[in-house]
Amino acid sequence: MRRSLWIGWLCALLAFAGGCDYFAQKELQPGVSTVDDVRRLMGKPVTIWEENDGSQVLEYSRGPEGSETWMVEIGADGRYRGMTDARSAAQLERVRAGMSRDDLRRLLGKPDEEERFPARRETVWTWRVKTAAGTDTEMFHAHLSSEGRVLRTSRTPDPKRINAGG
């Protein structure tokens, strides 16, 4: 009990930086920990995705300044199953032309930015992501048609890094 209180207190201090996620990964045990344990350690999710089998995926977005979005799987029994960084390289590689807006949102989580380009009949969703080396960040863009389908993806340097001289 004392350890849980200490972890909760530390998470409260680190929540603004997403540091609590590290502790949550160490503390939570698949099949043992409950949805209440997840919420105690990670806070209120941005979105709760309800699955047909009664399970849920809790979305914890660590943006707009962060580069991680955690998808936490909860079984129909209310037990923690595991968590995935929706902004990982493996997830980004799954984005394909023709994918629906809803499927994209579910795969990568809430975008950090949305910008409309009426002349091109295009909307661009943007996420800050880690570079391949994992030591820096860049911007990942999904270009959506007016019908809400992915046209293509692109990447650009992180403006925070450019403005900081890095």
Side-chain angles (χ1 to χ4, degrees):
M1 176 69 175
R2 184 181 178 110
R3 179 180 170 170
S4 294
L5 289 174
W6 184 85
I7 294 284
W9 178 80
L10 189 56
C11 284
L13 289 175
L14 296 173
F16 73 95
C20 186
D21 303 330
Y22 170 80
F23 292 105
Q25 288 180 339
K26 299 295 181 193
E27 182 84 5
L28 297 171
Q29 299 174 30
V32 176
S33 300
T34 66
V35 67
D36 291 335
D37 295 329
V38 171
R39 288 178 182 227
R40 177 178 47 81
L41 290 171
M42 297 185 72
K44 183 180 177 183
V46 172
T47 303
I48 300 173
W49 300 96
E50 301 286 344
E51 304 292 353
N52 291 333
D53 65 358
S55 63
Q56 299 177 326
V57 176
L58 309 180
E59 179 182 333
Y60 289 92
S61 182
R62 301 308 189 207
E65 298 300 319
S67 60
E68 297 173 337
T69 294
W70 294 99
M71 298 295 193
V72 180
E73 297 178 42
I74 305 295
D77 61 356
R79 300 276 175 195
Y80 168 77
R81 288 185 182 166
M83 62 193 315
T84 308
D85 181 3
R87 298 184 189 199
S88 69
Q91 292 295 94
L92 298 175
E93 289 173 11
R94 293 178 58 195
V95 177
R96 297 281 182 253
M99 179 181 276
S100 76
R101 173 189 314 260
D102 293 339
D103 289 342
L104 178 65
R105 172 69 174 78
R106 186 102 189 235
L107 179 67
L108 300 183
K110 182 179 180 184
D112 297 332
E113 299 173 15
E114 178 178 322
E115 193 168 357
R116 297 185 196 300
F117 297 92
R120 295 181 74 165
R121 296 180 33 205
E122 187 174 283
T123 299
V124 177
W125 284 1
T126 301
W127 294 263
R128 178 171 279 112
V129 300
K130 293 178 184 171
T131 58
T135 56
D136 211 346
T137 55
E138 64 185 352
M139 308 311 282
F140 178 85
H141 311 282
H143 302 255
L144 302 165
S145 69
S146 57
E147 292 81 31
R149 297 274 176 192
V150 174
L151 297 168
R152 66 188 175 287
T153 63
S154 63
R155 293 174 186 252
T156 57
D158 186 338
K160 284 181 60 180
R161 297 285 303 151
I162 294 169
N163 294 334

